[in-house]
Amino acid sequence: MTGAASASDALAESIREMIRARGPISFAEFMAQALYHPRLGYYSSGRCAIGRRGDYFTSVSVGPLFGMLLAAQFAEIWEKLDRPREFTIVEQGAHDGVFAHDVLRTLAERSAECFADLRYIVIEPFPILRERQRETLKRFAAKMEWRETVAEVPPFCGVHFSNEFLDALPVHRLRASGAPNEREWRELFVAENANSFDFVEKKLSNEKLRAQIANLPPAPNDDYETEVNLAALDWIRALAPKLDRGVIITIDYGWSRAEFYAPARARGTLQSYAAHRALASPFEKIGESDITAHIEWTSLAEHAENCGLTIAGFTDQHHFLTGLLAANPETAALATKQARALQTLLHPEFLGTRFQVLGLTKNCAAGDSLGGFKFARDPRKDLGLARDAD
């Protein structure tokens, strides 16, 4: 038995013990254990592997171009905030720190004044990842700070950035059943099943989940399954008061509410990956595989507005990066020398339309004038939040 296999077995047994002690657990609890168990979770243990030789591929995996392009956006935000003497970039989901390194190197080389005013905070709860980040970023140690949670971040002026962070937050699983006029949502819990796990239905008991379901469209089909990401709503609620003035930019894959809960998406968006292979069940390779669900952007944007933030833009990665290239001719000239990386980031069949970018602002007039949203459409309309003309 390999070390990885024994760790997976130990994690599965730990989850079984939870179920034996308390009865079936929500899928959100199961997912939290699988990904973030203090010693055995996929992320917290450091077993998460990104890139061609890892379990999945991100924009950062393409090379330094992604960080270089976002550095141009961060520098533009610094300008639009009237060049604050204390400009903070907060990154969440930094993995091994490569994106932060690419951003800091670009700003040091091409935006010296912005770099001089900059501090870079990484929110990272897991010691093994913090150590990797410190090693990657040792050249910029004087600029770096670490915090374990959003709550520990001091109020700041600047940017909060995340890339493929929200999709790994634990989600609740739901199933709708019954005739159209009697259809109701029930939550899918995780129970033991011989040597594995299985889903069992239970009535809704989580009040926050019940309140969020009230905002969703009616279930389109009998036996329709989907997810609700309460953790993402908690995240924006915690983050909003920390931003005194500036911009939140989050990049991930997902759909607006209408698309997310479309009839054709009858089994939801939950996915589990290992070695670039989609697994048949999230109960396979527990602690050795990534578990992820798409983002339902409309609810997140609505919640952000309720927390005092303003929607600055919403578009796909292709249009966002194309906007940055158009707004920064010098950066565009450098990007053309990395043609293959640029094509991967922009092309619809690769990363270009798979990912969306949501921009939120607070106490600043940057709004949709940000370079990345130069070619974006009306964000409220695309998110399904546009008010009727009448």
Side-chain angles (χ1 to χ4, degrees):
M1 180 179 292
T2 65
S6 63
S8 180
D9 290 344
L11 179 54
E13 182 58 27
S14 173
I15 296 172
R16 288 190 192 95
E17 290 175 359
M18 290 178 60
I19 294 171
R20 290 166 190 157
R22 299 163 40 198
I25 60 175
S26 71
F27 184 76
E29 291 179 274
F30 173 87
M31 187 171 170
Q33 291 294 308
L35 299 182
Y36 305 117
H37 181 282
R39 292 184 300 104
L40 303 171
Y42 176 72
Y43 286 106
S44 53
S45 67
R47 283 195 296 275
C48 52
I50 298 175
R52 299 185 188 281
R53 297 183 180 180
D55 295 318
Y56 58 96
F57 193 77
T58 75
S59 295
V60 181
S61 311
V62 173
L65 180 59
F66 184 68
M68 183 176 78
L69 292 171
L70 267 298
Q73 180 64 95
F74 299 158
E76 181 190 26
I77 292 170
W78 174 72
E79 292 277 1
K80 289 182 178 294
L81 293 173
D82 299 321
R83 300 186 166 205
R85 296 299 299 169
E86 293 185 1
F87 180 66
T88 303
I89 297 174
V90 179
E91 184 185 358
Q92 202 161 358
H95 191 57
D96 55 7
V98 169
F99 173 81
H101 183 275
D102 295 339
V103 167
L104 288 163
R105 182 178 63 182
T106 301
L107 292 176
E109 294 174 354
R110 300 182 51 223
S111 302
E113 290 182 81
C114 177
F115 182 78
D117 293 337
L118 175 67
R119 67 170 172 172
Y120 202 110
I121 299 176
V122 172
I123 301 175
E124 181 54 69
F126 305 119
I128 192 168
L129 295 182
R130 286 200 298 271
E131 289 308 308
R132 291 179 186 176
Q133 292 158 6
R134 285 192 173 96
E135 178 62 26
T136 300
L137 293 159
K138 59 185 178 182
R139 171 184 169 186
F140 300 106
K143 292 289 181 182
M144 298 302 304
E145 297 180 21
W146 274 264
R147 299 290 189 277
E148 291 190 18
T149 66
V150 169
E152 295 178 4
V153 175
F156 66 96
C157 171
V159 183
H160 181 286
F161 177 79
S162 62
N163 179 57
E164 292 196 66
F165 167 70
L166 296 178
D167 65 88
L169 294 179
V171 296
H172 291 265
R173 290 279 287 166
L174 302 175
R175 177 183 289 155
S177 57
N181 59 339
E182 300 175 349
R183 193 167 295 151
E184 66 173 355
W185 290 108
R186 294 171 68 88
E187 187 170 3
L188 291 175
F189 279 65
V190 177
E192 281 192 276
N193 179 12
N195 294 322
S196 186
F197 302 93
D198 206 350
F199 286 113
V200 295
E201 289 187 20
K202 296 185 70 174
K203 289 185 177 181
L204 295 175
S205 59
N206 185 319
E207 291 302 320
K208 290 174 65 176
L209 184 58
R210 193 191 303 274
Q212 183 58 25
I213 288 172
N215 297 323
L216 306 187
N221 311 112
D222 182 40
D223 196 33
Y224 183 92
E225 295 182 5
T226 192
E227 303 87 31
V228 170
N229 192 336
L230 294 179
L233 308 185
D234 291 341
W235 167 78
I236 200 65
R237 186 186 303 114
L239 178 59
K242 295 294 184 177
L243 181 65
D244 277 343
R245 190 165 66 100
V247 183
I248 296 169
I249 297 174
T250 185
I251 304 177
D252 226 309
Y253 42 86
W255 295 283
S256 67
R257 182 183 293 152
E259 294 174 286
F260 191 97
Y261 297 108
R265 229 172 299 288
R267 285 295 170 264
T269 72
L270 193 70
Q271 299 171 327
S272 187
Y273 287 98
H276 294 278
R277 182 174 66 89
L279 304 180
S281 166
F283 304 139
E284 292 184 40
K285 295 181 175 292
I286 300 170
E288 298 177 44
S289 58
D290 187 30
I291 304 175
T292 171
H294 284 55
I295 305 305
E296 194 264 275
W297 291 109
T298 306
S299 290
L300 181 64
E302 262 181 347
H303 209 66
E305 288 190 318
N306 292 337
C307 293
L309 300 170
T310 299
I311 300 170
F314 179 68
T315 189
D316 59 50
Q317 180 167 293
H318 170 91
H319 286 89
F320 184 79
L321 297 184
T322 300
L324 289 178
L325 292 169
N328 298 274
E330 183 181 348
T331 300
L334 294 172
T336 57
K337 298 177 182 179
Q338 303 180 49
R340 187 171 182 178
L342 184 60
Q343 182 184 42
T344 302
L345 292 172
L346 297 180
H347 200 286
E349 293 182 6
F350 296 107
L351 302 174
T353 56
R354 181 186 175 196
F355 291 91
Q356 296 81 47
V357 185
L358 176 67
L360 304 163
T361 61
K362 185 176 181 182
N363 296 328
C364 81
D368 57 8
S369 65
L370 292 179
F373 297 115
K374 179 180 178 67
F375 300 121
R377 300 184 300 186
D378 179 352
R380 299 188 62 80
K381 183 175 181 180
D382 281 358
L383 287 163
L385 294 173
R387 296 177 177 84
D388 293 337
D390 56 359

